[in-house]
Amino acid sequence: MNSTEILPKPIAQRLSACGLRPTAQRETVYQVLLSKRDHPTADEVFARVKDVMPTISLATVYNCLEALVHHELVRAVNFERLPTCYCPNLRPHAHFHDEAGSTLDIELPADMLEQLRALLPTGYAAKHIEINFHGRSEHC
Amino acid sequence: MNSTEILPKPIAQRLSACGLRPTAQRETVYQVLLSKRDHPTADEVFARVKDVMPTISLATVYNCLEALVHHELVRAVNFERLPTCYCPNLRPHAHFHDEAGSTLDIELPADMLEQLRALLPTGYAAKHIEINFHGRSEHC
DNA sequence: CTATATGCAAATAGTTTGCCTGTTA
DNA sequence: TAACAGGCAAACTATTTGCATATAG
């Protein structure tokens, strides 16, 4: 290990750092999202968290997810009318949703969001730009 | 009027042309969407259609919208968890959703969708690409 | 005449809320 | 100990479905 290696901050510190009380439930929900980057829905997060914390309630999972999204530790991803799914990848990226239901992160080149912003009329400022591909992949 | 002027095809013909029975309800729903391009929700379409056809049901509005979307006369637009709204603009465009709840079409340059498609790994083919801006406009 | 569409009411599913109890700073 | 978070059940809302009647080709 050299000193330039990026050491991920412990979960509890990341929560505190943005003003969220680091409760066991929030830590576990966040940990579950970070441990497998497959864009789970609230129900799926609930199922995974229950394995390690059987007393958690679905409402608390929703509350934790909402807190994480609101504090920008996690992104909520909506596609058509499907249940919201959650993504801990904070780099600018799009999502590819295939017909089988899986979701892949698509990294965006640095200038892509600027190019898109340049299309807006004056007086319009975008805080967030969401790009969703829908189609088929060879994994289907 | 000269012969190069684009005469919009009557609504009923457009429905028939894609294999949809031109019922009064479908014609009215489509007419309502074309007459004011403000991205109404199903409920809003229902309210507008009822003014001219008071016996229509909400379920029929949903059915008509679904038929129009399925036959690609209309696009369904989803933003976050808001109710689906409907857009008769078939040109490639993105949507800007402002914080006050209104939606603006943003025309896309010809190469934008190709640029985005080029980001996909081999084996991934996008049928549809959805781009949503979220932010503030001076109209808020 | 037969397939398809409508209208109504009931069902569904994801998400949110209210309220009381437990936990954190 | 005051403010906030969790657990549970009930509520809410957008949408879908089942079924009997009506309409289009």
Side-chain angles (χ1 to χ4, degrees):
Chain A
M1 287 207 210
N2 67 54
S3 59
T4 62
E5 188 173 344
I6 294 162
L7 297 168
K9 221 191 266 184
I11 304 275
Q13 282 183 31
R14 296 204 219 177
L15 295 174
S16 303
C18 58
L20 280 173
R21 283 193 187 172
T23 67
Q25 288 83 346
R26 285 174 179 169
E27 288 179 40
T28 311
V29 165
Y30 192 20
Q31 181 62 67
V32 155
L33 286 174
L34 290 169
S35 68
K36 193 165 169 233
R37 296 186 159 208
D38 61 349
H39 305 83
T41 63
D43 267 335
E44 286 162 352
V45 172
F46 181 48
R48 294 179 199 178
V49 172
K50 265 202 298 200
D51 287 345
V52 67
M53 180 183 272
T55 59
I56 199 170
S57 72
L58 179 57
T60 295
V61 170
Y62 273 104
N63 287 338
C64 292
L65 290 169
E66 140 82 34
L68 293 170
V69 169
H70 188 248
H71 289 80
E72 300 185 331
L73 293 173
V74 159
R75 280 174 55 181
V77 180
N78 286 284
F79 187 65
E80 290 176 1
R81 300 265 91 207
L82 297 173
T84 303
C85 55
Y86 297 87
C87 173
N89 178 0
L90 298 178
R91 303 179 60 194
H93 67 282
H95 290 106
F96 184 95
H97 300 260
D98 77 22
E99 289 167 358
S102 72
T103 298
L104 179 73
D105 285 0
I106 306 291
E107 296 292 320
L108 295 174
D111 64 329
M112 183 59 76
L113 296 180
E114 289 166 48
Q115 264 191 75
L116 284 167
R117 263 182 239 275
L119 302 174
L120 296 176
T122 48
Y124 287 78
K127 270 191 192 144
H128 181 68
I129 303 174
E130 181 189 17
I131 304 174
N132 291 318
F133 297 86
H134 181 217
R136 288 179 157 262
S137 81
E138 58 197 1
H139 300 131
C140 288
Chain B
M1 289 209 211
N2 66 53
S3 58
T4 62
E5 188 173 345
I6 294 161
L7 297 168
K9 222 191 265 185
I11 303 277
Q13 282 183 31
R14 297 204 219 177
L15 296 174
S16 303
C18 58
L20 280 173
R21 281 193 186 174
T23 66
Q25 288 84 345
R26 285 175 178 168
E27 288 180 40
T28 312
V29 165
Y30 192 20
Q31 181 60 68
V32 155
L33 286 173
L34 290 168
S35 68
K36 194 165 169 232
R37 296 187 158 206
D38 61 349
H39 305 83
T41 63
D43 266 335
E44 286 161 353
V45 171
F46 181 48
R48 294 179 200 178
V49 172
K50 265 202 296 200
D51 287 345
V52 68
M53 181 184 272
T55 59
I56 198 170
S57 72
L58 179 57
T60 295
V61 170
Y62 273 104
N63 287 338
C64 292
L65 290 169
E66 140 83 33
L68 293 169
V69 169
H70 188 249
H71 289 79
E72 298 185 331
L73 293 173
V74 160
R75 280 175 54 183
V77 181
N78 287 284
F79 188 65
E80 289 175 3
R81 299 266 89 206
L82 297 172
T84 302
C85 55
Y86 297 88
C87 173
N89 178 359
L90 298 178
R91 302 179 59 193
H93 67 283
H95 290 106
F96 184 96
H97 300 259
D98 77 23
E99 288 167 359
S102 71
T103 298
L104 180 73
D105 285 0
I106 306 291
E107 296 293 320
L108 294 174
D111 64 330
M112 182 60 76
L113 296 181
E114 289 166 47
Q115 264 191 74
L116 285 167
R117 263 182 239 276
L119 303 174
L120 297 176
T122 48
Y124 287 79
K127 271 192 191 142
H128 181 68
I129 302 174
E130 183 189 16
I131 304 174
N132 290 319
F133 296 86
H134 182 216
R136 290 180 156 262
S137 81
E138 59 198 359
H139 300 131
C140 288

